[in-house]
Structures are given as C-alpha cells and as structure tokens.
Amino acid sequence: DTAVSQTPKYLVTQMGNDKSIKCEQNLGHDTMYWYKQDSKKFLKIMFSYNNKELIINETVPNRFSPKSPDKAHLNLHINSLELGDSAVYFCASSQRHSDGYTFGSGTRLTVV
Amino acid sequence: AQKVTQAQTEISVVEKEDVTLDCVYETRDTTYYLFWYKQPPSGELVFLIRRNSFDEQNEISGRYSWNFQKSTSSFNFTITASQVVDSAVYFCALSRNDYKLSFGAGTTVTVRA
C-alpha cells in the first residue's frame, strides 16, 4: 500500500496547456507539501497545507494553484504551462516537521 | 535564514571503498532537525535518517553512519564498504519549526564495480 501516491508519473504536454497533478497520502498526516526538483536536482518547496489550510506559499508564479479538498489530498494545478515548468514535482507529507517527510515517487513534467 | 551546503558535487569511488559526504548547515534556531535522503537513479526520495539538534550522538545503521557536530554545524554521512547499489544522489536537509524542509544541492555518488 503506497504511503504517498502521485498521479500521473509522467506528463508530457504542450506550452500553454493547463494540467493537474494529484497527490494522496494514507498515513494520516496533517501536513502535505509540493516540492519542485529542477534539472540540476535542486529541491525547493513550493506549497504546504496543514489540515487543508495553506501555510507555506513560496515565490511561485500564480499560474500554480494548489488545492486541498481534505487533509489526505493535495493537488497541484498549473495554468498556461511554460517550457521552464519542466521539472519533477514531488508531493510529501508529515505529521510533524520534526518527524521527517514521506515523499511520493514524483511526477516528471515535460513541457514541449 | 537557513542554509544547507553540500560542497561535494560528485564523488566517484571503487566498490568497497568508504565514502564520506559532507553537510554544513546554518541556522539561528536552537531547535532544528537534520535529515539525509537518498535519490537512486529510479528517482524516488528515500528517507535515511533524522537527527534533532539536542541529540549529538553519532549513529550507525549497517554500512551507514552519521557524525553530527554542533560545534562545526556539520552532519556528515559515511558509507562504509560501498556497493554499486549505493550509487545515487544524496541530500542533506534542515527543518525548523516552520515546516520548511531546506535541502542542500545534493552529492552524486557513483560506485564503480
């Protein structure tokens, strides 16, 4: 049973399209995150939700909009995709920040 | 601001050699947490260890060991008798009470047979 699952695993789309990535965790954690890993492998936090409330919103273009319908789900919607959005997007969850974070397997987004 | 520095970009060793990955962090907080993650070629992020700022005991888990020294703000990771399966990118990370996990740039370890 996968703890943090993301779909899709791969996403290839054209510039200008709108796409969504879904994330679900079955760990009962209160907090979920989206991280972006660029082509140089650098990992940076984008958003975090705690019990459906947005608590972290880093400097991310407003074309990116997270949505948390309940504490087990955190989706990421991206409007008007650009070439620079190509990256691997990781979803993660934690109960407390001190406990460590469980990551999903990542979604590799390629914008052509 | 908090910062994690992994000065080694790439390390290449021959199987059975030991390899040590350096991690230096900066934070003004007295309470913080340090982590190591492994990212194998398959791409997932695998949790290896967590250490809080009040626990400076070194830890050993099989061929892996960690050396935490607050005096030098370092949390180094050693793989003993490396194996080809250890080839991966290794990330050191730091979190405080703000739920942000800040990662270092990663060290790519290549173990050659």
Side-chain angles (χ1 to χ4, degrees):
Chain A
D1 223 12
T2 306
V4 180
S5 59
Q6 300 178 223
T7 54
K9 190 168 175 63
Y10 299 96
L11 186 52
V12 181
T13 188
Q14 290 189 327
M15 275 174 52
N17 283 351
D18 302 340
K19 289 293 177 186
S20 291
I21 307 171
K22 295 186 177 182
C23 179
E24 176 181 3
Q25 55 97 1
N26 63 6
L27 298 166
H29 289 168
D30 287 336
T31 310
M32 296 184 72
Y33 312 80
W34 279 110
Y35 277 80
K36 179 180 179 180
Q37 186 172 43
D38 62 23
S39 58
K40 295 184 178 176
K41 298 283 189 180
F42 189 68
L43 280 153
K44 187 167 169 50
I45 191 166
M46 299 173 69
F47 302 104
S48 177
Y49 272 76
N50 181 264
N51 272 319
K52 301 193 296 176
E53 182 184 343
L54 182 66
I55 57 170
I56 295 174
N57 185 353
E58 292 293 279
T59 309
V60 176
N62 56 16
R63 298 181 294 103
F64 290 78
S65 52
K67 282 193 172 50
S68 182
D70 55 61
K71 76 173 195 177
H73 296 83
L74 179 61
N75 304 323
L76 183 65
H77 189 76
I78 316 170
N79 289 327
S80 304
L81 278 155
E82 300 178 357
L83 293 176
D85 298 331
S86 296
V88 180
Y89 293 85
F90 284 97
C91 178
S93 73
S94 70
Q95 183 55 20
R96 288 177 295 272
H97 63 282
S98 56
D99 290 344
Y101 299 63
T102 303
F103 284 84
S105 57
T107 295
R108 181 174 293 277
L109 171 65
T110 304
V111 183
V112 296
Chain B
Q2 58 187 43
K3 188 177 171 184
V4 178
T5 302
Q6 294 179 254
Q8 304 146 307
T9 307
E10 295 183 23
I11 300 176
S12 181
V13 297
V14 176
E15 227 177 358
K16 296 185 184 172
E17 285 184 3
D18 297 348
V19 57
T20 295
L21 311 181
D22 298 332
C23 174
V24 174
Y25 62 92
E26 291 177 34
T27 181
R28 293 182 180 177
D29 293 289
T30 54
T31 302
Y32 53 89
Y33 304 87
L34 295 163
F35 304 84
W36 276 95
Y37 282 85
K38 173 182 179 180
Q39 187 173 40
S42 50
E44 71 273 24
L45 284 161
V46 179
F47 168 80
L48 295 178
I49 190 171
R50 172 185 67 95
R51 175 66 74 230
N52 75 54
S53 52
F54 299 108
D55 181 3
E56 286 193 73
Q57 279 193 331
N58 292 330
E59 181 155 338
I60 297 175
S61 175
R63 295 183 298 104
Y64 294 170
S65 62
W66 291 269
N67 182 275
F68 176 28
Q69 293 198 346
K70 281 179 78 169
S71 59
T72 55
S73 297
S74 64
F75 186 41
N76 297 337
F77 171 33
T78 297
I79 304 172
T80 303
S82 59
Q83 300 176 0
V84 172
V85 292
D86 296 326
S87 295
V89 182
Y90 291 86
F91 293 96
C92 181
L94 167 71
S95 87
R96 304 174 304 169
N97 292 324
D98 60 357
Y99 287 92
K100 291 184 190 180
L101 187 62
S102 297
F103 284 87
T107 299
T108 299
V109 173
T110 303
V111 182
R112 308 186 309 276

